[in-house]
Amino acid sequence: MKWLVGIALLAIGAAPAPTGTVLLRPAAVFDGIDPVAHPGWQVLVTGERIVAVGPMLTVPANAETIDLPGETLMPGMIEGHGHLFLHPYNEASWDDQVLHEPLALRTARATVSARATLLAGFTTERDLGTEGAGYADVGLKLAIAQDIVPGPRMLVATRAIVAKGAYGPKGFEPGTPVPQGAEEASGVDDVVRVVRSQIAAGADVVKLYGDYRWGPGEPSRATFSQAEMTAAVSAAHDAGRIVAVHTSTPEGMRRAIAAGADTIEHGYGGTVEIFRAMAARGIALCPTLAASDAVSRYRGWTGGNPVPAAVVENRAAFALARSAGVPICMGGDVGVFAHGDNAREMTLMVEAGMPVAQVLLAATSGNARAFHLSDRGSVKAGMLADMIAMHGNPLKDIAAVGRVDWVMKGGRVVRP
């Protein structure tokens, strides 16, 4: 009953920080380090940190015990590419969300999406742009950190950055000011100014659009010049921020790699040479398989043959990247599809040929490494006590990660 009270307090922002010691006794532990489950392991938590992990632990007399029979315990998963201020495109188009939904409505919906994400077992989310909702993600991050609303730990990219004239919405009278889904910049000095202004406003991550469609019906083309891209990445790195680049064309990807980006998002048009260059520099790819899958289904695809060209291209690039040794980020572009269904990306990664253990590692320690998060992503002493549990063994059945039934964040049980 006291865990239910804790949840109620969490929902209204009054939950105290945990201070006691808790012993967790699941059936097995996947620690996010080894590609196996360890049967009989236990985990000892004091306050918000893990203090011991293993089969035989010395437990203080005053420790509380939580039994998780039949459950596999693992690190809280890390969503690598999400948009909490978007909701599925079959509910409202991207243009309608950006142009017609009030900011208060989008923020209220984002709080619900944040809660669904946490309860689904994703205790951290890298949110890559509010898509027209300004700096509202900074406020949501603060509300979660202050226990005003429940949600994952957030890394936010705020407005994201696009080359002037390259993004949207489009299709209005020329010269008419139209709200944009990202902040525009043009020229080296302006790009650096915008990077620094977003960091000053609270950005943890700088997101750049390395290519896009300049006009309706046109193919994507590289947008920022090499000089602009390099200057933006340099300014972000000088401030200790990582850089994510949305890019799917070979030229856009080449410029992002040369600039020293930390992750590339989508990468649908990547070539063998491009992916080898990414691997050589340790640049991770977020393939976002679930985004192309979801959009294709909204357009009528039911999963059979013929497979839509976008899905074929996405799967082929994913296979090329893996064969080249590119670090793989687990990120589905959630918001294109429903928040809380984040594990959809993991299922698609397995279906596309990635071994289950590698997918689980990507969603935990792999994403932590790619995003420079040294305090999470694995179950070991000293880490944040962000952990989840599910019935069965996800190493044998990836679908298990879609059935998370127990969540701990910072030593506090938020889903009992």
Side-chain angles (χ1 to χ4, degrees):
M1 176 61 74
K2 63 182 173 181
W3 290 117
L4 296 178
V5 173
I7 290 174
L9 291 170
L10 176 62
I12 61 173
T19 57
T21 296
V22 179
L23 177 68
L24 306 177
R25 299 198 302 189
V29 173
F30 169 71
D31 61 7
I33 302 168
D34 299 321
V36 296
H38 300 281
W41 274 25
Q42 302 174 344
V43 181
L44 193 65
V45 174
T46 297
E48 67 173 9
R49 299 275 174 174
I50 298 168
V51 295
V53 181
M56 298 292 291
L57 301 181
T58 301
V59 182
N62 64 342
E64 179 181 356
T65 297
I66 298 178
D67 287 313
L68 298 167
E71 302 271 308
T72 297
L73 184 79
M74 63 178 280
M77 294 181 285
I78 300 171
E79 173 56 59
H81 188 132
H83 298 276
L84 286 170
F85 285 84
L86 290 177
H87 59 105
Y89 293 177
N90 62 337
E91 298 175 358
S93 70
W94 182 86
D95 277 21
D96 281 346
Q97 293 184 50
V98 173
L99 290 172
H100 301 303
E101 292 186 349
L103 179 58
L105 171 64
R106 297 186 70 184
T107 302
R109 183 183 282 113
T111 65
V112 175
S113 297
R115 179 180 183 274
T117 301
L118 177 62
L119 296 184
F122 289 81
T123 53
T124 296
E125 172 161 334
R126 187 176 66 146
D127 197 270
L128 290 182
T130 62
E131 305 292 339
Y135 294 106
D137 54 350
V138 177
L140 178 59
K141 174 186 173 180
L142 291 172
I144 292 170
Q146 295 175 26
D147 286 337
I148 297 169
V149 296
R153 304 177 193 276
M154 290 181 64
L155 304 174
V156 299
T158 69
R159 300 174 66 186
I161 305 170
V162 294
K164 185 171 180 61
Y167 205 44
K170 292 182 181 293
F172 297 87
E173 173 67 22
T176 301
V178 177
Q180 292 290 290
E183 186 171 5
E184 295 184 311
S186 184
V188 169
D189 290 345
D190 195 40
V191 167
V192 171
R193 178 191 64 79
V194 171
V195 167
R196 290 174 176 161
S197 70
Q198 292 194 5
I199 292 171
D204 305 300
V205 183
V206 171
K207 182 184 178 182
L208 301 160
Y209 282 81
D211 49 38
Y212 216 77
R213 299 175 296 277
W214 286 97
E218 293 186 20
S220 288
R221 294 185 173 91
T223 51
F224 287 118
S225 69
Q226 186 65 68
E228 289 171 322
M229 180 72 70
T230 299
V233 173
S234 179
H237 284 174
D238 284 348
R241 268 56 175 184
I242 65 172
V243 178
V245 180
H246 164 119
T247 175
S248 292
T249 64
E251 180 59 20
M253 295 176 73
R254 185 193 67 75
R255 294 181 190 181
I257 295 165
D262 298 283
T263 66
I264 284 179
E265 314 303 309
H266 315 301
Y268 299 163
T271 64
V272 172
E273 293 73 23
I274 288 292
F275 287 130
R276 285 175 179 168
M278 286 179 63
R281 293 193 174 214
I283 298 172
L285 172 71
C286 272
T288 62
L289 297 170
S292 60
D293 180 87
V295 170
S296 295
R297 290 178 186 275
Y298 299 154
R299 292 172 177 170
W301 181 50
T302 58
N305 290 317
V307 179
V311 174
V312 171
E313 183 182 39
N314 198 180
R315 291 174 181 173
F318 179 56
L320 281 179
R322 289 184 53 240
S323 64
V326 175
I328 300 297
C329 154
M330 198 299 293
D333 212 350
V334 196
V336 174
F337 58 100
H339 299 281
D341 191 22
N342 305 60
R344 178 176 183 172
E345 176 76 7
M346 300 170 72
T347 300
L348 291 172
M349 291 167 79
V350 172
E351 290 178 2
M354 191 169 182
V356 175
Q358 296 304 313
V359 172
L360 291 170
L361 290 170
T364 54
S365 58
N367 274 3
R369 184 165 50 252
F371 307 154
H372 302 177
L373 302 173
S374 60
D375 59 356
R376 68 200 79 170
S378 58
V379 180
K380 67 178 182 179
M383 291 290 186
L384 287 168
D386 291 358
M387 291 173 283
I388 62 175
M390 65 219 69
H391 192 74
N393 184 353
L395 287 158
K396 295 182 178 179
D397 176 17
I398 192 63
V401 295
R403 301 190 297 268
V404 170
D405 55 20
W406 185 89
V407 178
M408 171 179 276
K409 177 187 169 191
R412 180 188 301 155
V413 175
V414 295
R415 179 169 186 170

